[in-house]
Amino acid sequence: MAGVSSCMKYSMFIFNFLFWVCGSVILGVSVWIRVSKDVQQELDIDSSLFAGVDLLIAVGSIIMVLGFLGCCGAIKESRCMLLLFFIGLLLILILQVTGGILGAVYRSQIEASLNKTLLASVNSLQSSTEESKVFQENFQKFERMNECCGLLNGPADWGKNFNAASGSNKVCACEPEDRPTDLCTTFQGRYVYKTPCGEVIVKYLKDHLLIIMGIAFGLAVIEILGLGFSMSLYCQIQRK
């Protein structure tokens, strides 16, 4: 009877051990951010970003479980654990492919959802509540950093808050002598940035879409290799 390849066995163990360590780090940091008020204040994380942190907690947990199954399955030559690892990895690969297909098919709905989110943020720019004021201060920093104004309709998105000042900074203030002439326009008697920040956000997402696709493709290749190694090891143990 053929034996189990030591090279494949220990390569599988080392790979999944690193996989498990990465999952542990992601889970630990995510939980720390989620429960620590000091960290949330230092990183300027509000409740609107908790969904992303919760997603990282779920991702870290899944990676930890899969890494554990891969490690123990390889070192103990457990067909049950290797099979569970294979099934878990296969499900993740199927979800990735399904997500990519759905993203391509429902692209218009995704864009509509993004516009809906931007519209809700416009309402926050025009509001006078304390929570909205915190959002407005942070958004003004974003405007100055990206040299844009408003979200969908430029300075008009600020409504009555357009003439409100945050410290020494005026909303959307643009100094044309220090910047290209096509960067600024006039609104209510003063110079403001011409480009709506919604366009900046959409451009950023489109520019980084290729990077996201590259990462997804790289992960898919790693997952396929993991599937091949785990099934090969499973078959070798079965023939042993």
Side-chain angles (χ1 to χ4, degrees):
M1 301 292 287
V4 177
S5 170
S6 297
C7 178
M8 183 177 292
K9 174 180 174 179
Y10 288 106
S11 295
M12 184 85 175
F13 173 79
I14 293 169
F15 170 78
N16 281 284
F17 178 75
L18 294 175
F19 202 52
W20 180 83
V21 170
C22 289
S24 301
V25 171
I26 293 172
L27 179 62
V29 172
S30 302
V31 171
W32 181 44
I33 292 173
R34 190 68 173 83
V35 301
S36 175
K37 298 294 182 184
D38 294 334
V39 175
Q40 291 170 17
Q41 291 175 358
E42 186 175 343
L43 297 178
D44 197 19
I45 295 175
D46 55 29
S47 57
S48 64
L49 297 176
F50 282 168
V53 177
D54 293 339
L55 178 63
L56 285 175
I57 291 173
V59 169
S61 301
I62 293 170
I63 290 175
M64 273 189 68
V65 171
L66 286 177
F68 173 78
L69 290 173
C71 275
C72 291
I75 205 69
K76 291 183 175 295
E77 299 183 8
S78 169
R79 287 191 298 157
C80 179
M81 286 185 171
L82 287 172
L83 187 60
L84 288 173
F85 174 81
F86 179 88
I87 293 171
L89 209 56
L90 181 62
L91 288 174
I92 291 174
L93 183 60
I94 291 171
L95 286 174
Q96 276 182 234
V97 174
T98 304
I101 294 172
L102 291 176
V105 172
Y106 295 101
R107 182 178 176 180
S108 58
Q109 286 89 331
I110 294 171
E111 290 177 353
S113 177
L114 176 60
N115 288 331
K116 186 177 179 181
T117 302
L118 293 176
L119 185 59
S121 298
V122 168
N123 294 332
S124 296
L125 293 180
Q126 299 175 359
S127 177
S128 57
T129 63
E130 288 300 319
E131 185 178 351
S132 296
K133 286 180 180 178
V134 173
F135 172 78
Q136 290 164 14
E137 289 177 5
N138 291 329
F139 186 71
Q140 284 189 66
K141 295 176 184 177
F142 180 85
E143 287 179 324
R144 290 192 293 272
M145 185 184 302
N146 294 278
E147 299 182 330
C148 58
C149 181
L151 278 165
L152 299 174
N153 305 302
D157 289 339
W158 282 92
K160 295 179 180 179
N161 291 328
F162 175 72
N163 291 313
S166 175
S168 60
N169 298 307
K170 293 183 178 180
V171 172
C172 299
C174 178
E175 301 298 334
E177 62 271 13
D178 299 330
R179 292 172 175 81
T181 54
D182 61 343
L183 190 64
C184 303
T185 187
T186 54
F187 184 82
Q188 295 187 7
R190 63 185 179 86
Y191 286 105
V192 295
Y193 294 117
K194 183 189 295 185
T195 307
C197 292
E199 293 182 12
V200 174
I201 294 170
V202 171
K203 184 178 183 299
Y204 177 86
L205 293 175
K206 287 182 177 178
D207 289 346
H208 288 75
L209 183 61
L210 188 61
I211 297 174
I212 294 170
M213 290 174 63
I215 292 172
F217 179 76
L219 287 173
V221 170
I222 293 172
E223 287 161 5
I224 291 170
L225 288 173
L227 290 171
F229 271 103
S230 60
M231 186 49 62
S232 177
L233 195 58
Y234 176 89
C235 293
Q236 287 184 19
I237 294 169
Q238 190 177 31
R239 292 194 299 265
K240 185 178 176 181

